[in-house]
Amino acid sequence: MAENQEENVELLDDEVITLYDDKNNPVDFNEVAVVEYEGDFYALLQPVEPMEGLGEDEAIIFKVVEKDEETDEFEPVTDEAVLEAVFNEYLKAEAEFADGCDCCDCDDCHHEHEDHDDCDCGCEGGCCGVHKHKDEE
């Protein structure tokens, strides 16, 4: 998992959410990211199984509405302006993540992996541990 606090985007790995279709059939989704936009939270979800009318690399954006402390509801977003703004925030976070190390403040890191859980790289404050600083190559 990676978080871009400046843009309020959390990129997620291996999060599966089960939603129910209009016939009450369970549908599993991979939660790709959560984006905060104008005070609301939006989840980008990709179906685990192929879904008619949706490409393999496409996601559906849902507004996350907290019903109580333990329950969130996912409402489909239909406002084109909101869809575009949320998706653009996601794309910016993805680009920043791909460009360098988002798990520390050194700006001199590059990654040869996707997991940032183990950290011992020596950056001030630490970061992912399995990358090298450019000057160490």
Side-chain angles (χ1 to χ4, degrees), residues 77-97:
V77 177
T78 57
D79 183 326
E80 289 294 325
V82 171
L83 287 169
E84 186 173 335
V86 169
F87 189 65
N88 285 336
E89 290 297 314
Y90 164 73
L91 290 177
K92 281 195 282 187
E94 271 289 310
E96 288 175 15
F97 181 73

Side-chain angles (χ1 to χ4, degrees), residues 54-73:
L54 197 64
E56 188 176 307
D57 62 342
E58 294 181 317
I60 302 172
I61 298 175
F62 290 90
K63 182 177 181 180
V64 181
V65 179
E66 186 178 319
K67 287 300 180 186
D68 57 50
E69 290 182 22
E70 297 178 11
T71 308
D72 290 333
E73 268 189 17

